[in-house]
Amino acid sequence: MSNTMTTSALMKNYQRLPLTIVKGKGSYVWDDQGVKYLDYTSGIATCSLGHVPDYVQGKLSEQLENLWHVSNLYQIPQQEALAEKLVSLSCFDQAFFCNSGAEANEAAIKLAKKYAKDQQKLERTEIVTFSNSFHGRTGYTMAATAQPKIHKGFTPLTPGFTYLPFNQPEALEQIDTDKTAGVLLELVQGEGGVHPADAEWIKALYDYCKQADILFMVDEIQTGVGRTGTLFAYEQYDIEPDAITLAKGLGSGFPIGALLAKSKAADSFSPGTHGSTFGGNPLAATAGLATLEKIADPAFLQDLQEKCTLLVEGLMKIAETNSLITGVRGKGFLIGLEVENKAGVWVEKLREKQVLVLTAGEHVVRILPPLTTEKEELFTFIGVITAIAADIEEKGE
Ligand SMILES: *Cc1c(COP(=O)(O)O)cnc(C)c1O
């Protein structure tokens, strides 16, 4: 471990750990001292096929030889192919590509506003989002994020967002149908503490929006591309959203974001209404397509679901006897362990044992294994966290 640099030329907007990772392969990373770690952060749900996956690396190497970037002024076959694949695997008709999650949500918010205008519903300018959500750090998406701590220091916020209580039936009655263009929500709130949405509540909200012709948009930036055990989290709910956004897991670590929508809404993006210089360039689209080819394989998803069950059962077993653990939540490989003490203590102790996990708020340990992790690695992880749980409980840390 190297020291945090006190003379860094970087801005101080991140609280970085004193750990410098220089290499990664599969479920493991190595630091600059040669120490090997089991990486159950996956670059925050990004490196879903593990680090430097051979198949994606091969496809990217080929593409690196031929062409890196052309603008969206021209036909881009790789982008076409990725859109085609995403559409064929989902309930959506069209795709737009950008470079990050926040940008994908910006596009979704713009689309909902434009859709309302196109319907001549000129008063419909608001987007409804939900308490504890996380949608990004840009102007629109920071305002869409209903968490005061994210807003601190940045008021006045971009107007046009209404926050309603997540998972609460009364939220439906509070939607102003005259003013609302769309709702945007996560099906498992990631950054907000790993809170899954209640299936009945989602269905009622979805039906309500459908009947009022309010766009129902799901932020699948963290939950999408296999993370929750199905290709998209919405498949586990009785809904067909009008649009979803993707980013984190789509490119195996290569930056890419996407907005997928049904034609009804997507048609509102006519030429000149939205765009991105880099979005869906040949390298990004190649990374996306290769990643998707692997994850969308039914055998891959089947195997994944078995491993997800294994992890949850292992954690439940620890929770049964450990007084500090108050809950095991989440879906698939997006798991939160709610603890009574500080989650940071668990992250630190695990790191000492060469296992990397993260937090989601003060009292939730967030566990995001690569989807490719082996059963043996899961057993190792469960073994390590069992020992640490006992140690923390005993010492009262
Ligand atoms: C990470 C995340 C974002 C923001 O993505 P960036 O690529 O950091 O802009 C938005 N929504 C959700 C649910 C996320 O997890």
Side-chain angles (χ1 to χ4, degrees):
M1 262 186 256
S2 62
N3 277 325
T4 29
M5 284 172 284
T6 46
T7 55
S8 175
L10 292 168
M11 292 197 187
K12 294 165 189 66
N13 56 316
Y14 300 110
Q15 207 164 21
R16 293 177 199 272
L17 293 165
L19 174 62
T20 306
I21 293 165
V22 293
K23 185 182 157 63
K25 191 72 192 172
S27 306
Y28 297 94
V29 292
W30 286 261
D31 73 9
D32 56 355
Q33 310 298 306
V35 179
K36 183 182 175 183
Y37 297 83
L38 179 63
D39 181 12
Y40 274 10
T41 72
S42 304
I44 316 189
T46 293
C47 305
S48 290
L49 292 174
H51 291 278
V52 197
D54 292 340
Y55 184 71
V56 184
Q57 188 192 20
K59 294 283 180 184
L60 273 176
S61 301
E62 271 171 46
Q63 192 58 47
L64 271 171
E65 295 287 319
N66 292 321
L67 184 67
W68 295 9
H69 178 79
V70 287
S71 88
N72 283 301
L73 290 171
Y74 306 105
Q75 305 292 323
I76 301 176
Q78 296 85 352
Q79 194 184 122
E80 284 283 352
L82 177 57
E84 195 62 49
K85 182 96 180 155
L86 283 165
V87 160
S88 74
L89 292 164
S90 68
C91 67
F92 307 104
D93 305 304
Q94 298 175 38
F96 163 80
F97 294 104
C98 48
N99 314 289
S100 68
E103 269 182 272
N105 282 340
E106 290 269 335
I109 292 160
K110 278 183 73 176
L111 187 69
K113 294 176 85 161
K114 182 68 166 41
Y115 175 74
K117 290 278 186 307
D118 291 350
Q119 303 302 112
Q120 301 304 319
K121 296 198 176 108
L122 304 185
E123 305 291 306
R124 284 192 168 182
T125 58
E126 302 261 321
I127 306 293
V128 164
T129 61
F130 295 87
S131 52
N132 235 11
S133 55
F134 183 81
H135 298 298
R137 301 284 197 162
T138 59
Y140 262 158
T141 64
M142 175 180 64
T145 295
Q147 288 192 59
K149 70 172 192 215
I150 305 278
H151 301 158
K152 209 167 162 239
F154 298 106
T155 52
L157 299 179
T158 309
F161 294 90
T162 304
Y163 310 138
L164 295 181
F166 185 70
N167 268 348
Q168 299 302 314
E170 67 262 28
L172 270 66
E173 297 145 33
Q174 292 169 25
I175 296 175
D176 184 342
T177 47
D178 291 336
K179 289 193 181 150
T180 306
V183 305
L184 177 66
L185 84 171
E186 298 152 272
L187 291 173
V188 182
Q189 292 188 327
E191 311 296 309
V194 194
H195 294 282
D198 176 68
E200 272 175 43
W201 180 72
I202 286 291
K203 183 66 163 84
L205 180 65
Y206 171 74
D207 287 342
Y208 186 90
C209 291
K210 196 167 179 171
Q211 177 251 324
D213 198 22
I214 291 168
L215 291 192
F216 189 89
M217 307 187 290
V218 180
D219 178 342
E220 292 234 28
I221 287 161
Q222 190 154 163
T223 57
V225 202
R227 177 53 54 187
T228 64
T230 49
L231 191 56
F232 304 109
Y234 80 79
E235 297 168 32
Q236 297 178 46
Y237 291 82
D238 188 15
I239 58 171
E240 276 197 6
D242 295 299
I244 60 169
T245 49
L246 303 173
K248 289 194 168 87
L250 184 55
S252 291
F254 199 101
I256 183 168
L259 166 65
L260 308 182
K262 293 193 174 240
S263 286
K264 175 180 105 168
D267 286 342
S268 284
F269 271 176
S270 51
T273 50
H274 196 51
S276 162
T277 297
F278 294 116
N281 86 3
L283 277 177
T286 296
L289 187 59
T291 302
L292 200 58
E293 279 170 1
K294 286 285 165 192
I295 296 177
D297 177 351
F300 180 92
L301 290 170
Q302 177 72 45
D303 180 52
L304 171 61
Q305 281 161 18
E306 282 167 31
K307 291 187 295 188
C308 294
T309 307
L310 235 164
L311 175 60
V312 170
E313 283 176 358
L315 293 172
M316 293 280 203
K317 196 149 171 254
I318 305 171
E320 266 170 31
T321 56
N322 192 291
S323 62
L324 288 173
I325 302 173
T326 49
V328 180
R329 290 196 299 261
K331 282 186 189 294
F333 270 167
L334 169 47
I335 297 295
L337 193 70
E338 192 172 57
V339 294
E340 235 159 46
N341 61 339
K342 285 212 156 50
V345 170
W346 292 68
V347 173
E348 180 63 30
K349 294 245 167 200
L350 282 162
R351 189 156 53 89
E352 283 166 12
K353 298 282 178 214
Q354 280 112 262
V355 174
L356 304 180
V357 296
L358 36 155
T359 59
E362 229 183 311
H363 298 289
V364 179
V365 182
R366 187 167 29 155
I367 303 160
L368 299 165
L371 310 183
T372 47
T373 195
E374 308 267 341
K375 285 185 183 152
E376 282 309 312
E377 293 162 356
L378 282 168
F379 292 134
T380 301
F381 174 76
I382 291 165
V384 172
I385 197 167
T386 303
I388 279 166
D391 186 50
I392 294 176
E393 190 180 37
E394 193 188 305
K395 293 192 182 135
E397 282 168 292

